Amino acid sequence: MEASLDGSNVPVSVYENLIEAVHKKLPTMYRYVRLRKKLLGVDQLYFYDIYTPLVQDLNKSIPYEQAKQTVYDALHPLGEDYRKILQEGFDNRWIDVYENRGKRTGAYSAGTKVHPFVLLNYSGTLGSQFTLAHEMGHALHSYLSNRTQNPIDSDYVIFVAEVASTCNEALLMQHLLKTTKDKKRRAYLINYFLEQFRTTLYRQTMFAEFELEINRRNERGESLTAESLNALYHELNHQYFGDDIVIDKEIDLEWARIPHFYYDYYVYQYATGYSAAIALSRRILKEGAPAVKDYIHFLSGGCSTDPISLLRGAGVDMASTAPIHEALQLFDELITEMEQLMEE
């Protein structure tokens, strides 16, 4: 574990702090699960039920040109210099937009030296619009690092990679919530935001704890049988999601299809990156220009120093549990608003 994290200059305490901080906020996840069960009107809530939207029929098609304009408007807090680069990407074919024969699925950004290239499979959904914001966050991170740092220091490590992309998503969500007056639409957006917390912050932390425990068992010389791994995964799902969801034998097997468990301590970075991004987006919206200046400096940093120092310079100390607590506090606030909206 120390060797794996040392490759990115991340202290082991960051991994341990993540698990500790999320453990303290597990009751908030139990509250969300209870809310889901209540709003879906089911006697028993299964894991496949959590993929059902709480608000139906609002995911209307969003034309690509409209999505670009919305993302551009949402990133206004990052300043005109940032948006000028964003517009350059929109106008100069940085993005391969639509599905095509032989094209790979999903989305990614390749931070090449000339300029970044972004692959999308845009389908007009709300998720597609968020993916556009996400991938352009990666693209501008690469653009700024490549133009600020020497070639040796221009590539950033995975620990910070998801921060820039998720910060864009958080700013887009806050923009949509600010400009949406329809209560049903607002509830739909909050549902989408809550699911990001569940899947990225809670679920990836659970994955990180599973990976940590199986490696500890291996170090102790214990056999990692399918039965023992099923039992451990069952126990963690119950710990993270509580008594109001059915932990069935099919979910016990889910660990076997998660490819990241065959890497070396990778998944925790999704949760830490998400926490840092939420904290940064809130600072940018609250403090304005000083926070933006620090954030752009972070985006321009490449790997010129260790990732903890880079993020600390942007105003987020990932050596502490504070950013994780701040993100989970927002999760709690969103659940409260969702409860109020659904009562109305």
Side-chain angles (χ1 to χ4, degrees), residues 64-344:
Y64 178 62
E65 292 300 320
Q66 179 184 332
K68 286 196 299 182
Q69 186 61 51
T70 302
V71 170
Y72 181 84
D73 293 342
L75 298 182
H76 177 267
L78 293 179
E80 292 310 308
D81 289 343
Y82 185 95
R83 293 206 300 174
K84 183 178 179 181
I85 303 169
L86 178 70
Q87 192 64 54
E88 181 180 343
F90 286 162
D91 293 343
N92 291 285
R93 300 183 66 187
W94 289 13
I95 307 170
D96 184 357
V97 181
Y98 298 108
E99 283 186 294
N100 205 347
R101 181 175 297 174
K103 185 177 179 180
R104 62 169 287 177
T105 58
Y108 71 87
S109 172
T112 57
K113 302 301 180 184
V114 178
H115 63 70
F117 287 92
V118 170
L119 177 142
L120 300 177
N121 282 278
Y122 190 83
S123 60
T125 63
L126 179 66
S128 288
Q129 182 174 250
F130 273 93
T131 299
L132 173 62
H134 181 104
E135 297 304 333
M136 291 307 288
H138 284 310
L140 267 72
H141 192 181
S142 297
Y143 181 96
L144 289 166
S145 287
N146 284 336
R147 277 157 179 72
T148 306
Q149 301 298 326
N150 64 66
I152 294 175
D153 293 330
S154 62
D155 287 338
Y156 44 83
V157 297
I158 295 296
F159 186 83
V160 299
E162 293 302 318
V163 174
S165 54
T166 308
C167 186
N168 273 13
E169 287 196 69
L171 291 172
L172 173 58
M173 176 58 75
Q174 294 294 347
H175 171 77
L176 292 174
L177 289 173
K178 183 178 180 180
T179 57
T180 299
K181 297 180 180 179
D182 180 76
K183 290 183 178 179
K184 194 172 183 181
R185 178 69 177 172
R186 186 174 180 84
Y188 185 89
L189 291 168
I190 291 174
N191 177 197
Y192 185 94
F193 207 3
L194 289 170
E195 279 298 288
Q196 287 184 312
F197 277 92
R198 180 186 67 79
T199 57
T200 307
L201 191 42
Y202 280 94
R203 191 165 186 255
Q204 298 298 332
T205 301
M206 185 188 78
F207 285 176
E209 188 167 358
F210 177 83
E211 184 178 11
L212 178 60
E213 178 57 25
I214 61 177
N215 278 282
R216 282 174 172 170
R217 292 182 181 187
N218 184 59
E219 289 173 358
R220 294 194 297 265
E222 299 177 19
S223 296
L224 298 178
T225 65
E227 291 78 11
S228 67
L229 294 175
N230 287 351
L232 172 60
Y233 200 75
H234 180 101
E235 176 187 337
L236 286 171
N237 269 286
H238 182 262
Q239 180 183 4
Y240 274 75
F241 299 105
D243 295 328
D244 287 293
I245 191 166
V246 177
I247 316 295
D248 56 34
K249 62 181 181 181
E250 285 77 20
I251 284 298
D252 292 353
L253 291 163
E254 187 184 36
W255 62 267
R257 72 164 187 84
I258 307 297
H260 298 77
F261 294 150
Y262 300 91
Y263 303 170
D264 294 328
Y265 294 102
Y266 187 95
V267 291
Y268 82 99
Q269 297 168 114
Y270 292 119
T272 53
Y274 189 83
S275 301
I278 293 295
L280 285 169
S281 67
R282 287 163 74 87
R283 182 179 179 229
I284 289 164
L285 292 172
K286 181 180 179 180
E287 299 181 20
V292 171
K293 181 180 178 181
D294 291 343
Y295 181 64
I296 297 301
H297 185 264
F298 157 73
L299 295 181
S300 304
C303 61
S304 57
T305 188
D306 66 274
I308 302 299
S309 297
L310 282 172
L311 285 167
R312 193 176 285 128
V316 175
D317 186 4
M318 292 308 297
S320 75
T321 58
I324 303 161
H325 286 305
E326 184 173 356
L328 292 172
Q329 179 60 39
L330 176 59
F331 181 61
D332 192 64
E333 293 168 5
L334 289 168
I335 294 173
T336 298
E337 183 172 357
M338 188 66 164
E339 289 172 337
Q340 295 170 347
L341 286 170
M342 299 308 284
E343 285 176 3
E344 296 173 8

